[in-house]
Amino acid sequence: MEDRHTARDGRKHLSNPQLDCEKYGGRVSSGEDRKLWPRPLAQKWTVMLFLGTCLLFCSRMAMPICSVSMAASFHWSKIDSGLVLGGFFWGYCFTQILGGHASDKVGGERVLFVSAASWSLITAMTPLLAHLGSHTLALMTLARFLMGLTQGVFFPSLASLCSQRVLEGERGFLISAMNSGANLGALMVGGMGSLMLEEYGWESLFYSIGALAGIWALVVWLCLLKGVEVPPRQKDPKDPQWSLSRWLSLVKKPPVWAMIFAHMCHSSSSVTLLSWLPTYFKESFPHASGWVYNVVPWAVAIPSALAGGYFSDVLIRQGYGVSLVRKIMQFFAMGVSSMFIILLSGDVSFPSAVTFISAAIGLSNFSSG
């Protein structure tokens, strides 16, 4: 298990890695300052984090699914809808580094709890804010901005938790479970959300997701956090990972900027699909069933993510270098998937559009590999 994890990191496959883990990461083995979860507690947290990630994406997808109905109710233009949908990501980009730093200082568990309690409240209050006065557009943009701020700490906190509380050989399962939870959340809100939207109105979706997320936060507090002292990672002044010069040296490395640029490109296409997919189908195929285009692409995403991870493991076991395998995965996740997105710009039928979207989203999940 240890050898396999080491090979996955590329420490043994890359003879002259440009990013030296020992130099910049500080430690390869689990140090004495790491307070690992006992296995029963790790299993409980895995289940709860899976559910939390599912609800996180339910909350994130609620506005894109409801945006068409809300635009009709409040007379929004395309620019107005774009401001509301984009407000989330403006807030999201501001708390990434802050979330990771706070998790290292006070423990990722507590940061996740505060984050979930905050965005669950914002989700439940969204319909109330929408009907509060005449400044609906400004209030909805603000609500989405605050949602982005509170959700931006989630995945950095999750990364901090993995490094502090989970055995090195078991972190891959936790991360894959979180990715599956995200896809399941998009699948659930796409299916049940479409039905609730037609039967009970767009407000019901925000109320129900906000209530479920609030219950999740309450259960985490009562069953996993209350009365438990969560030991944070201790800062070692001599640890090179806390040296500013080390971080500046790391930022100068070309592979770092390659990863940043690749992540930016991948995220931009994912965000476009996540935010505008319901609008595209509603306007292009107004008589199509909403649950089809809100469910099918995300149903394809779950097995695709698992297949990408399995395929990458097979290539590594057959002797391919980790660096090459990563490039192959990104070729499918970004290169091939973009071809299917380009096909949507032409005159296509509804079945073809669903097929192209499903292929694009499914292949984009190869990035997990």
Side-chain angles (χ1 to χ4, degrees):
M1 195 72 176
E2 182 75 15
D3 291 338
R4 183 183 176 189
H5 183 80
T6 304
R8 185 188 295 269
D9 278 347
R11 295 171 188 149
K12 289 186 177 179
H13 279 260
L14 302 178
S15 57
N16 293 306
Q18 290 177 281
L19 298 180
D20 190 336
C21 297
E22 289 290 335
K23 180 177 180 181
Y24 295 104
R27 294 173 187 175
V28 176
S29 61
S30 55
E32 294 179 357
D33 59 325
R34 295 199 179 164
K35 306 298 182 181
L36 299 177
W37 282 328
R39 185 171 295 276
L41 182 59
Q43 293 172 346
K44 293 178 181 178
W45 270 108
T46 299
V47 173
M48 292 306 297
L49 290 175
F50 172 82
L51 296 175
T53 309
C54 179
L55 291 170
L56 180 96
F57 264 73
C58 284
S59 176
R60 190 177 299 184
M61 284 283 292
M63 183 63 76
I65 288 179
C66 297
S67 62
V68 177
S69 298
M70 295 178 70
S73 299
F74 300 115
H75 308 290
W76 290 347
S77 65
K78 284 287 185 61
I79 296 177
D80 296 335
S81 298
L83 287 173
V84 174
L85 293 172
F88 173 87
F89 301 101
W90 280 108
Y92 195 74
C93 69
F94 280 114
T95 50
Q96 298 285 306
I97 298 177
L98 176 63
H101 179 68
S103 299
D104 285 344
K105 297 287 286 186
V106 303
E109 300 94 331
R110 299 190 182 278
V111 175
L112 287 174
F113 165 74
V114 173
S115 169
S118 301
W119 58 258
S120 65
L121 181 62
I122 295 171
T123 303
M125 290 182 61
T126 297
L128 301 178
L129 291 173
H131 297 292
L132 188 61
S134 59
H135 303 289
T136 303
L137 180 63
L139 290 173
M140 288 298 93
T141 304
L142 177 62
R144 291 296 289 177
F145 178 80
L146 294 176
M147 176 87 69
L149 284 177
T150 54
Q151 288 196 358
V153 304
F154 185 89
F155 286 103
S157 299
L158 181 62
S160 178
L161 273 180
C162 286
S163 66
Q164 295 181 46
R165 316 287 188 230
V166 183
L167 288 171
E168 188 176 43
E170 298 177 359
R171 293 171 193 164
F173 176 77
L174 179 61
I175 294 297
S176 63
M178 299 307 101
N179 289 335
S180 299
N183 290 323
L184 179 61
L187 178 63
M188 288 178 58
V189 75
M192 293 186 295
S194 298
L195 298 177
M196 294 178 65
L197 189 62
E198 296 178 1
E199 295 292 331
Y200 307 107
W202 63 268
E203 295 91 346
S204 62
L205 194 59
F206 288 93
Y207 287 137
S208 58
I209 294 174
L212 290 173
I215 293 173
W216 180 88
L218 182 63
V219 171
V220 168
W221 172 255
L222 294 177
C223 300
L224 295 174
L225 288 180
K226 187 178 181 180
V228 177
E229 182 179 355
V230 180
R233 176 185 292 177
Q234 299 297 321
K235 178 179 177 179
D236 183 1
K238 298 181 180 180
D239 195 334
Q241 77 174 35
W242 295 99
S243 172
L244 179 60
S245 61
R246 294 292 189 185
W247 283 110
L248 292 176
S249 178
L250 181 65
V251 171
K252 294 178 182 179
K253 295 292 182 179
V256 173
W257 287 102
M259 288 186 290
I260 292 174
F261 184 74
H263 187 64
M264 182 187 70
C265 294
H266 181 266
S267 297
S268 63
S269 59
S270 299
V271 165
T272 301
L273 293 176
L274 186 72
S275 300
W276 290 101
L277 184 62
T279 302
Y280 165 78
F281 276 104
K282 191 68 176 179
E283 295 186 350
S284 301
F285 311 100
H287 302 295
S289 300
W291 69 267
V292 175
Y293 54 77
N294 284 326
V295 170
V296 173
W298 306 108
V300 173
I302 297 176
S304 178
L306 297 174
Y310 174 79
F311 183 55
S312 64
D313 283 345
V314 170
L315 291 178
I316 291 174
R317 286 197 297 267
Q318 290 182 352
Y320 289 89
V322 175
S323 179
L324 175 61
V325 173
R326 287 173 177 165
K327 293 174 183 177
I328 293 174
M329 293 296 103
Q330 287 304 107
F331 170 77
F332 283 100
M334 299 174 62
V336 180
S337 66
S338 65
M339 297 296 101
F340 288 98
I341 297 177
I342 292 175
L343 291 175
L344 291 171
S345 62
D347 185 16
V348 296
S349 63
F350 177 69
S352 298
V354 174
T355 301
F356 294 156
I357 285 290
S358 300
I361 293 178
L363 288 169
S364 68
N365 277 269
F366 271 45
S367 62
S368 299

